[in-house]
């Protein structure tokens, strides 16, 4: 009997330790197809490549796994997998493990989460995994049991069209992860602080830097869970409509009357 | 007395006819600061530039308007405006007018909408405007009265933190726009169709193309409104949490018990 198929991508690139860790867990659940960027594509959000061609190259990096590196963005990787590589529907798409947090507002900038969103738009069950540790040699071993459990539950349970999971792992000081919490996305933002420099020709240029600001005091948020040693799981949607606001907007003059 | 300040950006680039049309209306409401990409940045989604420096150059393109072109993405433009250029808080940020639709799922890929989302994250009232006509010489004159009306209403009314407006304009065959409708984002997707070619060296490469598929039969959607000659206004949020799903997920085994 044919084994179930799992599609894997990320944004840190196909050679990152994070994707290697995710592939090793995904293999326990079925056949694995990897289509991931050939270089780091962090913070690419939901960008797609429309003004340049894309290349796709099969690589033999992971034993027993079909893998392609792609010159495009994380979302490009998922799109080209759907159109050119998938011969059957995956039971699951997993993205990551991201080197660094994709909790709260970071979900919007994240290429890792955008790849999962794109798979979800196409109708796949999808999960993005991220570890709150930016280092290349982060310890992915300790979180593998949680990934295994979340993948197993995702395969057993329904996840309706329009919803995917954003999973973030804490790095507790004592090394002990307390459990898993289903959360809402915390209200947070980055306070920009561009570093202005002069190039060798005397011209100004800027590096984007910033400081994360959590504006949310709720204890039901992903930031709270992560700060208290829990894995955060946020059910995430790509319907951006603020449905509650529709009735209120209909009271505005310009929407009430014709021109 | 100091006039109110309006921040303007887009994704088609600072020289596009769409942004020129938007600037001309914005000027009626106050002082205008433009920070926009120096080249087309369509479909960049919420990408930000973290691996390369950014440059910012003042340009004298629009009479009576302070304008900067930026080498970064639309979101970069808003971020650097906030950190380096704004000396007072804008009463409004407007993005566009995009050459082409940002209705339904297009909101996710759109640099124009992502610029507005970024302004909204920072606490500004924000509106993205798009015309469902990709041509460079699209007729922006006919939609200016609607833009004027929507900007005026947005300044008069409250728009709470977390919600911005995604406004799309139809191009009716008879040229007559019937009115404005507040809508939800239609459920829709792009069916990928990559065009595979060979380069002069015999190697494969791909161009992304696709076909828009509206999966939604509702008459309360942006796609319905646009197809029927109405301007669509979708209240849009950057809290991606599927709040209703939290209780259901809590019934999954892995979230119910500890490890």
């Amino acid at each position: 009997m044919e084994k179930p198929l799992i599609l894997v991508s990320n944004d840190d690139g196909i050679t990152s330790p994070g994707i290697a860790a995710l592939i090793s867990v995904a293999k326990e659940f079925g056949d694995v197809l990897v289509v991931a960027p050939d270089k780091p594509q962090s913070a690419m959000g939901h960008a797609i490549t429309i003004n340049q061609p894309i290349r796709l190259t099969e690589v033999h990096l992971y034993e027993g796994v079909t893998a392609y590196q792609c010159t495009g963005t994380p979302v490009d990787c998922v799109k080209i997998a759907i159109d050119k590589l998938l011969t059957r529907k995956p039971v699951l798409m997993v993205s990551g493990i991201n080197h660094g947090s994709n909790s709260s507002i970071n979900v919007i900038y994240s290429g890792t989460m955008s790849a999962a969103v794109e798979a979800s738009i196409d109708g796949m069950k999808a999960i993005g995994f991220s570890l709150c540790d930016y280092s290349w040699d982060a310890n992915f071993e300790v979180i593998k049991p949680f990934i295994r459990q979340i993948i197993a539950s995702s395969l057993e349970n329904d996840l309706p069209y329009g919803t995917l999971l954003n999973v973030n792992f804490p790095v507790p000081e004592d090394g002990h992860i307390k459990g898993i919490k289903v959360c809402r996305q915390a209200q947070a933002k980055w306070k920009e602080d561009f570093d202005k420099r002069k190039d060798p020709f005397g011209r100004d240029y800027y590096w984007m830097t910033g400081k994360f600001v959590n504006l949310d005091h709720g204890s039901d948020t992903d930031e709270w869970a992560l700060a208290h040693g829990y894995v955060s799981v946020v059910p995430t949607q790509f319907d951006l409509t603020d449905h509650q606001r529709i009735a209120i907007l209909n009271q505005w003059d310009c929407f009430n009357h014709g021109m």
Side-chain angles (χ1 to χ4, degrees), chain A residues 29-79:
Chain A
F29 293 90
D31 292 333
V32 171
L33 171 66
V34 180
V35 187
D38 62 359
K39 56 191 164 297
Q41 293 268 4
S42 290
M44 283 303 284
H46 214 90
I48 54 174
T49 304
I50 53 173
N51 292 320
Q52 289 190 68
I54 292 171
R55 292 179 188 270
L56 198 59
T57 308
E58 187 165 6
V59 289
H60 302 282
L61 290 173
Y62 301 106
E63 206 189 317
V65 169
T66 308
Y68 290 83
Q69 64 184 27
C70 172
T71 55
T73 66
V75 173
D76 293 339
C77 291
V78 174
K79 284 186 169 287

Short mmCIF file of all heavy atoms in Angstrom, two decimals, chain A residues 29-79:
data_model
loop_
_atom_site.label_atom_id
_atom_site.label_comp_id
_atom_site.label_asym_id
_atom_site.label_seq_id
_atom_site.Cartn_x
_atom_site.Cartn_y
_atom_site.Cartn_z
N PHE A 29 5.95 9.40 9.37
CA PHE A 29 4.52 9.38 9.06
C PHE A 29 4.22 9.05 7.60
O PHE A 29 3.05 8.94 7.23
CB PHE A 29 3.89 10.74 9.42
CG PHE A 29 3.86 11.01 10.90
CD1 PHE A 29 4.93 11.65 11.52
CD2 PHE A 29 2.78 10.59 11.67
CE1 PHE A 29 4.91 11.89 12.89
CE2 PHE A 29 2.76 10.83 13.03
CZ PHE A 29 3.83 11.48 13.64
N GLY A 30 5.24 8.96 6.76
CA GLY A 30 4.95 8.63 5.37
C GLY A 30 6.08 9.02 4.44
O GLY A 30 7.20 9.30 4.87
N ASP A 31 5.76 9.05 3.14
CA ASP A 31 6.74 9.53 2.16
C ASP A 31 6.86 11.04 2.28
O ASP A 31 5.87 11.73 2.57
CB ASP A 31 6.28 9.18 0.74
CG ASP A 31 6.32 7.67 0.48
OD1 ASP A 31 7.13 6.99 1.13
OD2 ASP A 31 5.54 7.20 -0.36
N VAL A 32 8.05 11.54 2.02
CA VAL A 32 8.28 12.97 2.19
C VAL A 32 8.79 13.57 0.87
O VAL A 32 9.69 13.03 0.24
CB VAL A 32 9.30 13.23 3.32
CG1 VAL A 32 9.71 14.70 3.36
CG2 VAL A 32 8.71 12.81 4.66
N LEU A 33 8.16 14.68 0.47
CA LEU A 33 8.66 15.48 -0.65
C LEU A 33 9.06 16.84 -0.10
O LEU A 33 8.24 17.52 0.53
CB LEU A 33 7.58 15.65 -1.73
CG LEU A 33 7.92 16.64 -2.85
CD1 LEU A 33 9.10 16.15 -3.70
CD2 LEU A 33 6.70 16.90 -3.74
N VAL A 34 10.31 17.21 -0.33
CA VAL A 34 10.80 18.51 0.14
C VAL A 34 10.97 19.44 -1.06
O VAL A 34 11.60 19.07 -2.06
CB VAL A 34 12.18 18.35 0.84
CG1 VAL A 34 12.69 19.71 1.32
CG2 VAL A 34 12.09 17.37 1.99
N VAL A 35 10.39 20.62 -0.98
CA VAL A 35 10.65 21.68 -1.96
C VAL A 35 10.91 22.94 -1.14
O VAL A 35 9.99 23.48 -0.51
CB VAL A 35 9.48 21.90 -2.93
CG1 VAL A 35 9.88 22.89 -4.01
CG2 VAL A 35 9.03 20.58 -3.55
N ALA A 36 12.16 23.37 -1.14
CA ALA A 36 12.53 24.46 -0.23
C ALA A 36 13.50 25.42 -0.93
O ALA A 36 14.15 25.05 -1.92
CB ALA A 36 13.15 23.90 1.04
N PRO A 37 13.59 26.64 -0.43
CA PRO A 37 14.46 27.63 -1.08
C PRO A 37 15.93 27.20 -1.06
O PRO A 37 16.40 26.55 -0.12
CB PRO A 37 14.26 28.89 -0.23
CG PRO A 37 12.95 28.70 0.45
CD PRO A 37 12.84 27.22 0.70
N ASP A 38 16.66 27.60 -2.11
CA ASP A 38 18.08 27.25 -2.21
C ASP A 38 18.96 28.20 -1.40
O ASP A 38 20.19 28.06 -1.41
CB ASP A 38 18.51 27.20 -3.68
CG ASP A 38 18.37 28.54 -4.39
OD1 ASP A 38 17.93 29.52 -3.76
OD2 ASP A 38 18.69 28.60 -5.58
N LYS A 39 18.33 29.17 -0.75
CA LYS A 39 19.08 30.14 0.07
C LYS A 39 18.13 30.68 1.13
O LYS A 39 16.91 30.52 1.00
CB LYS A 39 19.60 31.28 -0.80
CG LYS A 39 18.51 32.00 -1.58
CD LYS A 39 19.06 32.93 -2.63
CE LYS A 39 18.02 33.35 -3.66
NZ LYS A 39 17.46 32.24 -4.49
N PRO A 40 18.65 31.34 2.17
CA PRO A 40 17.75 31.88 3.20
C PRO A 40 16.75 32.87 2.62
O PRO A 40 17.11 33.73 1.80
CB PRO A 40 18.71 32.56 4.17
CG PRO A 40 20.00 31.83 4.01
CD PRO A 40 20.06 31.50 2.54
N GLN A 41 15.48 32.71 3.00
CA GLN A 41 14.39 33.56 2.52
C GLN A 41 13.53 33.99 3.71
O GLN A 41 12.30 34.07 3.58
CB GLN A 41 13.54 32.78 1.51
CG GLN A 41 14.24 32.44 0.22
CD GLN A 41 14.02 33.49 -0.86
OE1 GLN A 41 13.39 34.53 -0.63
NE2 GLN A 41 14.54 33.24 -2.03
N SER A 42 14.19 34.25 4.82
CA SER A 42 13.46 34.72 5.99
C SER A 42 12.81 36.06 5.72
O SER A 42 13.33 36.85 4.93
CB SER A 42 14.41 34.89 7.18
OG SER A 42 14.86 33.64 7.63
N ALA A 43 11.70 36.30 6.38
CA ALA A 43 11.02 37.60 6.33
C ALA A 43 10.54 37.95 4.93
O ALA A 43 10.33 39.11 4.61
CB ALA A 43 11.92 38.72 6.87
N MET A 44 10.34 36.93 4.09
CA MET A 44 9.83 37.19 2.75
C MET A 44 8.31 37.25 2.72
O MET A 44 7.71 37.48 1.67
CB MET A 44 10.29 36.10 1.76
CG MET A 44 11.72 36.25 1.32
SD MET A 44 12.05 37.87 0.56
CE MET A 44 11.31 37.63 -1.06
N GLY A 45 7.66 37.01 3.88
CA GLY A 45 6.21 37.07 3.92
C GLY A 45 5.60 36.23 2.82
O GLY A 45 6.12 35.16 2.48
N HIS A 46 4.52 36.73 2.25
CA HIS A 46 3.82 35.95 1.22
C HIS A 46 4.25 36.37 -0.19
O HIS A 46 3.48 36.28 -1.15
CB HIS A 46 2.30 36.08 1.41
CG HIS A 46 1.57 34.82 1.04
ND1 HIS A 46 1.31 33.82 1.94
CD2 HIS A 46 1.11 34.36 -0.14
CE1 HIS A 46 0.68 32.83 1.33
NE2 HIS A 46 0.54 33.12 0.07
N ALA A 47 5.50 36.81 -0.32
CA ALA A 47 6.00 37.24 -1.63
C ALA A 47 6.02 36.08 -2.62
O ALA A 47 6.34 34.95 -2.26
CB ALA A 47 7.41 37.82 -1.48
N ILE A 48 5.70 36.38 -3.87
CA ILE A 48 5.84 35.43 -4.97
C ILE A 48 6.68 36.08 -6.05
O ILE A 48 6.83 37.30 -6.08
CB ILE A 48 4.49 34.96 -5.54
CG1 ILE A 48 3.61 36.16 -5.96
CG2 ILE A 48 3.74 34.09 -4.54
CD1 ILE A 48 2.32 35.76 -6.66
N THR A 49 7.24 35.26 -6.93
CA THR A 49 8.16 35.75 -7.95
C THR A 49 7.44 35.84 -9.29
O THR A 49 7.13 34.81 -9.89
CB THR A 49 9.37 34.81 -8.05
OG1 THR A 49 9.96 34.71 -6.74
CG2 THR A 49 10.40 35.34 -9.03
N ILE A 50 7.15 37.07 -9.73
CA ILE A 50 6.42 37.21 -10.99
C ILE A 50 7.23 37.91 -12.07
O ILE A 50 6.90 37.83 -13.23
CB ILE A 50 5.09 37.96 -10.79
CG1 ILE A 50 5.31 39.30 -10.06
CG2 ILE A 50 4.10 37.11 -10.00
CD1 ILE A 50 4.06 40.15 -10.00
N ASN A 51 8.31 38.57 -11.67
CA ASN A 51 9.10 39.30 -12.67
C ASN A 51 10.39 38.60 -13.08
O ASN A 51 11.16 39.12 -13.88
CB ASN A 51 9.44 40.71 -12.15
CG ASN A 51 8.21 41.58 -12.06
OD1 ASN A 51 7.35 41.54 -12.93
ND2 ASN A 51 8.09 42.35 -10.99
N GLN A 52 10.61 37.42 -12.53
CA GLN A 52 11.80 36.65 -12.87
C GLN A 52 11.42 35.18 -13.00
O GLN A 52 10.49 34.72 -12.35
CB GLN A 52 12.82 36.72 -11.73
CG GLN A 52 13.49 38.04 -11.56
CD GLN A 52 14.63 37.90 -10.57
OE1 GLN A 52 15.63 37.26 -10.85
NE2 GLN A 52 14.46 38.49 -9.40
N PRO A 53 12.19 34.44 -13.81
CA PRO A 53 11.94 33.00 -13.86
C PRO A 53 12.44 32.31 -12.60
O PRO A 53 13.24 32.87 -11.83
CB PRO A 53 12.72 32.54 -15.08
CG PRO A 53 13.69 33.61 -15.40
CD PRO A 53 13.24 34.87 -14.74
N ILE A 54 11.96 31.09 -12.40
CA ILE A 54 12.31 30.28 -11.24
C ILE A 54 12.99 29.01 -11.73
O ILE A 54 12.62 28.47 -12.77
CB ILE A 54 11.02 29.91 -10.47
CG1 ILE A 54 10.40 31.14 -9.82
CG2 ILE A 54 11.30 28.84 -9.42
CD1 ILE A 54 9.03 30.88 -9.24
N ARG A 55 13.97 28.55 -10.98
CA ARG A 55 14.60 27.26 -11.29
C ARG A 55 14.40 26.28 -10.17
O ARG A 55 14.26 26.66 -9.00
CB ARG A 55 16.10 27.44 -11.55
CG ARG A 55 16.39 28.21 -12.83
CD ARG A 55 17.87 28.39 -13.04
NE ARG A 55 18.14 29.28 -14.15
CZ ARG A 55 18.29 28.87 -15.41
NH1 ARG A 55 18.17 27.59 -15.72
NH2 ARG A 55 18.55 29.75 -16.36
N LEU A 56 14.40 25.01 -10.54
CA LEU A 56 14.10 23.92 -9.62
C LEU A 56 15.15 22.85 -9.87
O LEU A 56 15.35 22.43 -11.00
CB LEU A 56 12.71 23.40 -9.99
CG LEU A 56 11.91 22.56 -9.03
CD1 LEU A 56 11.66 23.28 -7.72
CD2 LEU A 56 10.57 22.20 -9.68
N THR A 57 15.85 22.41 -8.82
CA THR A 57 16.92 21.42 -8.98
C THR A 57 16.78 20.31 -7.95
O THR A 57 16.69 20.59 -6.75
CB THR A 57 18.30 22.10 -8.78
OG1 THR A 57 18.37 23.26 -9.62
CG2 THR A 57 19.44 21.15 -9.11
N GLU A 58 16.75 19.07 -8.41
CA GLU A 58 16.69 17.96 -7.46
C GLU A 58 18.03 17.84 -6.74
O GLU A 58 19.09 17.97 -7.36
CB GLU A 58 16.34 16.64 -8.17
CG GLU A 58 16.10 15.54 -7.17
CD GLU A 58 15.40 14.31 -7.74
OE1 GLU A 58 15.18 14.23 -8.96
OE2 GLU A 58 15.07 13.42 -6.92
N VAL A 59 17.95 17.64 -5.43
CA VAL A 59 19.17 17.49 -4.63
C VAL A 59 19.07 16.24 -3.78
O VAL A 59 17.97 15.81 -3.41
CB VAL A 59 19.41 18.73 -3.71
CG1 VAL A 59 19.81 19.94 -4.53
CG2 VAL A 59 18.18 19.05 -2.87
N HIS A 60 20.21 15.63 -3.50
CA HIS A 60 20.20 14.39 -2.72
C HIS A 60 20.83 14.66 -1.37
O HIS A 60 22.00 14.40 -1.12
CB HIS A 60 20.94 13.29 -3.50
CG HIS A 60 20.30 13.06 -4.84
ND1 HIS A 60 19.14 12.35 -5.01
CD2 HIS A 60 20.62 13.52 -6.08
CE1 HIS A 60 18.78 12.35 -6.28
NE2 HIS A 60 19.66 13.05 -6.96
N LEU A 61 20.03 15.27 -0.50
CA LEU A 61 20.53 15.70 0.80
C LEU A 61 20.05 14.81 1.93
O LEU A 61 20.73 14.67 2.94
CB LEU A 61 20.04 17.13 1.09
CG LEU A 61 20.63 18.27 0.28
CD1 LEU A 61 19.90 19.57 0.59
CD2 LEU A 61 22.11 18.41 0.59
N TYR A 62 18.83 14.26 1.75
CA TYR A 62 18.20 13.54 2.87
C TYR A 62 17.86 12.12 2.42
O TYR A 62 17.13 11.94 1.44
CB TYR A 62 16.96 14.31 3.33
CG TYR A 62 17.29 15.72 3.76
CD1 TYR A 62 16.95 16.82 2.97
CD2 TYR A 62 17.99 15.94 4.94
CE1 TYR A 62 17.28 18.11 3.36
CE2 TYR A 62 18.33 17.23 5.33
CZ TYR A 62 17.98 18.31 4.54
OH TYR A 62 18.31 19.57 4.92
N GLU A 63 18.35 11.15 3.16
CA GLU A 63 18.21 9.75 2.77
C GLU A 63 16.75 9.33 2.65
O GLU A 63 15.94 9.58 3.55
CB GLU A 63 18.91 8.86 3.81
CG GLU A 63 19.38 7.53 3.24
CD GLU A 63 19.86 6.59 4.35
OE1 GLU A 63 20.58 7.09 5.25
OE2 GLU A 63 19.50 5.41 4.32
N GLY A 64 16.43 8.73 1.52
CA GLY A 64 15.07 8.21 1.33
C GLY A 64 14.03 9.28 1.07
O GLY A 64 12.83 9.00 1.14
N VAL A 65 14.48 10.51 0.79
CA VAL A 65 13.55 11.63 0.64
C VAL A 65 13.80 12.31 -0.71
O VAL A 65 14.94 12.60 -1.06
CB VAL A 65 13.78 12.65 1.78
CG1 VAL A 65 13.04 13.96 1.52
CG2 VAL A 65 13.35 12.05 3.12
N THR A 66 12.73 12.55 -1.46
CA THR A 66 12.84 13.31 -2.70
C THR A 66 12.87 14.79 -2.34
O THR A 66 11.99 15.27 -1.62
CB THR A 66 11.64 13.02 -3.62
OG1 THR A 66 11.53 11.61 -3.77
CG2 THR A 66 11.83 13.67 -4.97
N ALA A 67 13.89 15.49 -2.82
CA ALA A 67 14.05 16.89 -2.41
C ALA A 67 14.46 17.77 -3.58
O ALA A 67 15.30 17.38 -4.41
CB ALA A 67 15.08 16.99 -1.28
N TYR A 68 13.85 18.94 -3.65
CA TYR A 68 14.19 19.93 -4.68
C TYR A 68 14.52 21.26 -4.01
O TYR A 68 13.82 21.68 -3.09
CB TYR A 68 13.00 20.15 -5.62
CG TYR A 68 12.69 18.99 -6.51
CD1 TYR A 68 11.91 17.93 -6.06
CD2 TYR A 68 13.16 18.95 -7.82
CE1 TYR A 68 11.61 16.86 -6.88
CE2 TYR A 68 12.87 17.87 -8.65
CZ TYR A 68 12.10 16.84 -8.17
OH TYR A 68 11.82 15.78 -8.99
N GLN A 69 15.55 21.90 -4.53
CA GLN A 69 15.77 23.28 -4.11
C GLN A 69 15.27 24.19 -5.22
O GLN A 69 15.34 23.88 -6.40
CB GLN A 69 17.23 23.56 -3.76
CG GLN A 69 18.22 23.43 -4.90
CD GLN A 69 19.65 23.62 -4.42
OE1 GLN A 69 19.97 23.36 -3.27
NE2 GLN A 69 20.51 24.08 -5.31
N CYS A 70 14.73 25.34 -4.78
CA CYS A 70 14.06 26.26 -5.69
C CYS A 70 14.66 27.64 -5.50
O CYS A 70 14.98 28.04 -4.38
CB CYS A 70 12.56 26.23 -5.35
SG CYS A 70 11.56 27.45 -6.21
N THR A 71 14.80 28.38 -6.61
CA THR A 71 15.38 29.72 -6.51
C THR A 71 14.38 30.75 -5.98
O THR A 71 14.75 31.89 -5.73
CB THR A 71 15.89 30.20 -7.88
OG1 THR A 71 14.79 30.12 -8.81
CG2 THR A 71 17.04 29.35 -8.39
N GLY A 72 13.12 30.36 -5.84
CA GLY A 72 12.08 31.32 -5.48
C GLY A 72 11.88 31.47 -3.98
O GLY A 72 12.68 31.02 -3.15
N THR A 73 10.79 32.11 -3.64
CA THR A 73 10.40 32.35 -2.25
C THR A 73 9.78 31.08 -1.67
O THR A 73 9.46 30.14 -2.41
CB THR A 73 9.35 33.47 -2.18
OG1 THR A 73 8.15 33.01 -2.83
CG2 THR A 73 9.84 34.74 -2.86
N PRO A 74 9.54 31.04 -0.37
CA PRO A 74 8.85 29.89 0.22
C PRO A 74 7.48 29.63 -0.45
O PRO A 74 7.14 28.48 -0.71
CB PRO A 74 8.70 30.30 1.69
CG PRO A 74 9.88 31.19 1.94
CD PRO A 74 10.06 31.98 0.68
N VAL A 75 6.73 30.69 -0.72
CA VAL A 75 5.42 30.49 -1.36
C VAL A 75 5.60 29.95 -2.78
O VAL A 75 4.86 29.06 -3.21
CB VAL A 75 4.60 31.80 -1.36
CG1 VAL A 75 3.32 31.65 -2.17
CG2 VAL A 75 4.27 32.20 0.07
N ASP A 76 6.60 30.44 -3.51
CA ASP A 76 6.91 29.87 -4.83
C ASP A 76 7.16 28.37 -4.73
O ASP A 76 6.71 27.60 -5.60
CB ASP A 76 8.20 30.49 -5.42
CG ASP A 76 8.06 31.97 -5.77
OD1 ASP A 76 6.93 32.44 -5.95
OD2 ASP A 76 9.12 32.64 -5.87
N CYS A 77 7.89 27.95 -3.70
CA CYS A 77 8.21 26.52 -3.53
C CYS A 77 6.94 25.68 -3.46
O CYS A 77 6.84 24.63 -4.08
CB CYS A 77 9.03 26.30 -2.25
SG CYS A 77 10.69 26.98 -2.33
N VAL A 78 5.97 26.16 -2.69
CA VAL A 78 4.73 25.41 -2.53
C VAL A 78 3.95 25.42 -3.84
O VAL A 78 3.42 24.39 -4.28
CB VAL A 78 3.89 26.01 -1.38
CG1 VAL A 78 2.52 25.34 -1.29
CG2 VAL A 78 4.64 25.84 -0.07
N LYS A 79 3.91 26.56 -4.50
CA LYS A 79 3.16 26.68 -5.76
C LYS A 79 3.74 25.75 -6.83
O LYS A 79 3.00 25.08 -7.55
CB LYS A 79 3.15 28.13 -6.24
CG LYS A 79 2.18 29.02 -5.46
CD LYS A 79 2.12 30.40 -6.09
CE LYS A 79 0.97 31.23 -5.52
NZ LYS A 79 -0.35 30.80 -5.99
#
